[in-house]
Amino acid sequence: MDTWVQILVEWGYWGLFLSAFVAGSILPFSSEAVMLILIRMGASPVWCVVAATLGNTLGGMTCYGIGRLGCTEWIEKLGVKPRQLARARKFMAGRGAWMGFFGFLPTLGEALAVMLGLMRSNVWVVSLMMTLGKLLRYLVLLWSFEGMTRIL
């Protein structure tokens, strides 16, 4: 994993975008590490947040797309049992596309995005809410990092 982080850091903003895309999809990856290393190396925090937010949102929207395909067999191959799907549908009923905001949550965010796609939630509201949630996440990370570097 360290080698991948190193390669992505060398690619700069595009590497951060790619790492955030992977992290936003169903594959586990730490885009936060890439972002913080780039900022520590002098990259623009604003452009890092933009690249990470866009990449992570597009990764999350791929999960939405998987759900939108409506193939529950694929979703079950990802380790989700039919009973879990039924419980998730029940939980999501009435909440809908606004739940896209919580797409930034590890593991749960991907599951939410898949369920939103499966339930045919409004793609525009989902993408807007997902973007806002992920933007907020990266801003909090940036502000935390900036505060820690000032202390040290």
Side-chain angles (χ1 to χ4, degrees):
M1 176 102 115
D2 290 340
T3 304
W4 281 111
V5 170
Q6 197 171 23
I7 290 169
L8 292 168
V9 166
E10 288 174 9
W11 291 353
Y13 299 119
W14 288 109
L16 176 56
F17 176 87
L18 183 60
S19 71
F21 177 84
V22 170
S25 70
I26 58 172
L27 302 172
F29 196 77
S30 176
S31 60
E32 295 87 355
V34 176
M35 184 174 121
L36 295 179
I37 291 169
L38 282 172
I39 291 171
R40 187 82 163 179
M41 292 173 60
S44 164
V46 171
W47 285 112
C48 284
V49 168
V50 168
T53 300
L54 291 176
N56 208 256
T57 300
L58 285 175
M61 291 307 290
T62 60
C63 293
Y64 174 89
I66 289 170
R68 186 83 181 199
L69 292 173
C71 189
T72 54
E73 294 84 31
W74 292 356
I75 296 169
E76 289 172 11
K77 283 184 181 181
L78 296 174
V80 180
K81 297 179 177 88
R83 183 175 177 197
Q84 291 172 313
L85 271 176
R87 285 179 47 209
R89 268 190 215 266
K90 185 178 177 183
F91 175 78
M92 298 287 284
R95 292 180 175 89
W98 297 93
M99 292 297 287
F101 179 83
F102 298 100
F104 70 89
L105 296 170
T107 309
L108 181 61
E110 289 85 7
L112 283 172
V114 170
M115 282 307 300
L116 288 168
L118 197 58
M119 296 175 68
R120 305 273 193 260
S121 295
N122 184 311
V123 67
W124 299 110
V125 177
V126 170
S127 59
L128 174 65
M129 296 310 295
M130 193 179 289
T131 302
L132 291 175
K134 291 175 184 274
L135 172 64
L136 182 62
R137 170 183 159 205
Y138 284 111
L139 286 174
V140 168
L141 177 70
L142 174 65
W143 289 328
S144 300
F145 177 71
E146 291 292 322
M148 288 304 294
T149 56
R150 286 190 186 127
I151 292 171
L152 301 174

